[in-house]
Amino acid sequence: MDINTKGDVVLISNIKLEYFNNKTKAIKEINLNNAYPEIITNPPYFVTFISDSDIAIYSNNKLIILDTENWKIKDVIYEIPENIIGLTGLNDGSILVNLYAYKGE
């Protein structure tokens, strides 16, 4: 889950994205498998705002950049490591990718 500077909220649960527009008070629900089957395929999913109108979704070693005004894919970044445990959108539009690295005995 993430909140942008306008108070919009985005949440991803299993394969469903929920977006709350704070200005209109409207809730949009998108089944990611149905809406973007060629790009978004398998969990885990992580989501973060990277600007007031763009979100980044991690799925299946890819980052998908979506425009929340028209719900079109703006970009797909391939070959993202599979050990992601979270995403954080930063104020400058960049994305901090949180990785898990197990260092055993």
Side-chain angles (χ1 to χ4, degrees), residues 5 9 11 29-30 32 52 69 71 77 96:
T5 59
V9 178
L11 167 70
E29 293 183 358
I30 298 173
L32 297 173
D52 280 343
E69 293 174 354
W71 297 102
I77 303 165
L96 176 65

Side-chain angles (χ1 to χ4, degrees), residues 40-51:
I40 300 174
T41 54
N42 298 320
Y45 301 110
F46 300 105
V47 64
T48 189
F49 280 100
I50 56 173
S51 71

